[in-house]
């Protein structure tokens, strides 16, 4: 066990007996889920930019669609929330829609909300914004605690589905922020213009400036559905209490305002981003597979 000066550690100043650069671990290996996630987010974003260019400029249809519904060759992915909304509002079940929803549902059941942290363009734009802020202010952009109860997320999901049924219109199909990013890219490529609804994306990013990942934490019904599906997921963050020195770094690093040192990495709210693992300098956190 390391002897650490905890109050100073919480300010990120001193680690008595340990001198490491941020992101490096006790074993000397540099962990970087953050960098890996950024690469994945950029790859997903590139795919969504490439699709309309290939379709409309070169008439290559191998990849079509965007984040809500995308096909790669014969593989078709449909966002589970948009699929569910379509079923509820049309009051009909369309077989191919269920097939498209299958893989995202299985992935969320096994890995949890990883679409949000590893693929969603809102995550990418938020991360880029954070990096710019870090450059300008020359300090890390920290999570702002939990201004609201986390359970709001479940009410948002139920409310959104009820509203869609009352109005008879799949609201999230039209106004989903990740979907809007894809649609704006397509409009830009096809017509060289942007649609007014894109303002929703700007609002989401402004919320993020006020409180880190505010929309993702409290207001995203898709995130809520994926979290619900992943409640009993196989991939979870676990803490080794023997190693943990209660420095609080992981709590500061968590974009979802969780405290992984108190097992909250196993909760439905964790989206398995790995930021807490990067931040822990004594290797007390790890991903684990399977129900314990
Ligand atoms: S607990 Fe860790 S993996 Fe889960 S959301 Fe927070 S930082 Fe990401
Ligand atoms: S698990 Fe969190 S609190 Fe414990 S040592 Fe690692 S960063 Fe610090």
């Amino acid at each position: 066990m390391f002897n650490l000066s905890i109050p100073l550690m919480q300010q990120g100043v001193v680690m008595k007996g340990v001198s490491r650069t941020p992101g490096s671990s006790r074993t000397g290996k540099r962990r970087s889920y953050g960098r890996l996630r950024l690469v994945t987010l950029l790859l997903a974003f590139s795919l969504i930019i490439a699709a309309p260019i290939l379709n409309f400029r070169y008439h290559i249809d191998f990849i079509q669609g965007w984040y809500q519904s995308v096909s790669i060759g014969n593989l078709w992915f449909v966002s589970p929330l948009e699929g569910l909304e379509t079923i509820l509002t049309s009051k009909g079940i369309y077989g191919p829609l269920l097939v498209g929803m299958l893989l995202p549902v299985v992935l969320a059941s096994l890995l949890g909300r990883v679409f949000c942290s590893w693929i969603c363009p809102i995550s990418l734009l938020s991360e880029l914004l954070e990096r710019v802020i870090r450059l300008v202010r020359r300090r890390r952009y920290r999570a702002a605690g939990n201004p609201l109860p986390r359970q709001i997320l479940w009410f948002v999901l139920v409310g959104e589905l009820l509203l869609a049924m009352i109005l008879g219109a799949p609201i999230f199909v039209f106004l989903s922020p990740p979907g809007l990013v894809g649609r704006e890219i397509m409009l830009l490529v096809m017509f060289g213009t942007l649609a007014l609804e894109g303002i929703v994306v700007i609002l989401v990013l402004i919320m993020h400036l006020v409180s880190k990942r505010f929309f993702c934490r409290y207001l995203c019904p898709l995130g809520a559905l994926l979290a619900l599906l992943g409640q009993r997921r196989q991939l979870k963050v676990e803490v080794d209490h023997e190693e943990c020195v209660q420095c609080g770094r992981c709590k500061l690093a968590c974009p979802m305002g969780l405290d992984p040192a108190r097992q909250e990495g196993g909760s439905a709210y964790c989206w398995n981003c790995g930021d807490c693992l990067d931040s822990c300098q004594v290797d007390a956190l790890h991903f684990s597979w399977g129900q314990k």
Side-chain angles (χ1 to χ4, degrees):
M1 181 75 72
F2 292 98
N3 179 13
L4 300 176
S5 171
I6 292 168
L8 289 174
M9 273 282 300
Q10 282 168 341
Q11 294 166 41
V13 179
V14 168
M15 282 189 83
K16 197 174 165 191
V18 187
S19 76
R20 294 182 200 113
T21 49
S24 70
S25 72
R26 185 163 47 99
T27 54
K29 284 187 212 145
R30 232 187 129 73
R31 282 224 185 101
S32 196
Y33 285 104
R35 231 173 280 165
L36 189 62
R37 203 180 59 256
L38 191 61
V39 170
T40 316
L41 288 165
L42 284 168
L43 280 175
F45 197 67
S46 316
L47 208 69
I48 298 305
I49 295 177
I53 296 176
L54 291 173
N55 299 165
F56 298 109
R57 302 251 166 101
Y58 301 102
H59 306 289
I60 297 170
D61 291 337
F62 184 72
I63 305 170
Q64 291 184 66
W66 56 78
Y67 298 93
Q68 290 168 305
S69 167
V70 67
S71 69
I72 303 172
N74 282 325
L75 260 186
W76 186 32
F77 305 94
V78 176
S79 157
L81 182 63
E82 280 86 331
L84 183 59
E85 264 192 340
T86 307
I87 290 168
L88 291 175
T89 52
S90 68
K91 299 182 188 69
I93 294 181
Y94 178 53
L97 185 68
L98 292 182
V99 173
M101 289 164 68
L102 186 67
L103 202 55
V105 168
V106 170
L107 273 181
S109 310
L110 292 174
L111 308 179
R113 221 182 136 175
V114 285
F115 167 82
C116 306
S117 51
W118 290 76
I119 297 175
C120 179
I122 297 299
S123 263
L124 175 67
L125 297 175
S126 305
E127 297 240 351
L128 294 179
L129 200 59
E130 277 168 35
R131 277 163 202 259
V132 172
I133 290 171
R134 213 180 298 161
L135 267 181
V136 174
R137 291 191 185 165
R138 293 182 184 280
R139 66 182 167 87
R140 279 187 80 80
Y141 181 67
R142 298 289 194 196
N146 288 297
L148 299 173
R150 292 183 193 125
Q151 293 76 1
I152 284 180
L153 196 63
W154 311 124
F155 290 100
V156 168
L157 173 61
V158 174
E160 198 271 339
L161 288 174
L162 278 177
L163 193 63
M165 284 196 284
I166 291 166
L167 298 178
I171 307 162
F172 205 68
V173 170
F174 303 124
L175 289 178
S176 125
L180 283 173
V181 173
R183 223 174 308 158
E184 294 286 305
I185 290 172
M186 195 196 67
L187 284 175
L188 206 57
V189 172
M190 280 175 71
F191 307 112
T193 183
L194 292 171
L196 194 61
E197 308 93 89
I199 202 145
V200 172
V201 177
I202 312 264
L203 288 177
V204 167
L205 293 176
I206 292 174
M207 283 182 213
H208 170 61
L209 289 178
V210 176
S211 177
K212 200 171 185 178
R213 306 301 170 97
F214 188 88
F215 180 81
C216 314
R217 275 200 271 170
Y218 301 112
L219 301 179
C220 182
L222 172 61
L225 182 62
L226 296 176
L228 197 65
L229 289 168
Q231 201 152 23
R232 296 188 59 77
R233 65 186 179 279
Q234 300 297 304
L235 187 71
K236 283 184 180 165
V237 171
E238 289 208 336
V239 58
D240 180 345
H241 291 292
E242 299 272 300
E243 296 291 344
C244 176
V245 292
Q246 302 289 330
C247 67
R249 276 176 181 261
C250 51
K251 189 176 176 186
L252 284 176
C254 179
M256 304 308 279
L258 302 173
D259 187 352
R262 295 187 175 196
Q263 301 281 17
E264 289 185 347
S267 75
Y269 303 102
C270 169
W271 61 10
N272 280 339
C273 64
D275 278 359
C276 53
L277 275 77
D278 285 352
S279 75
C280 181
Q281 302 208 344
V282 293
D283 282 353
L285 296 169
H286 57 273
F287 279 121
S288 78
W289 184 262
Q291 295 288 335
K292 295 254 164 74

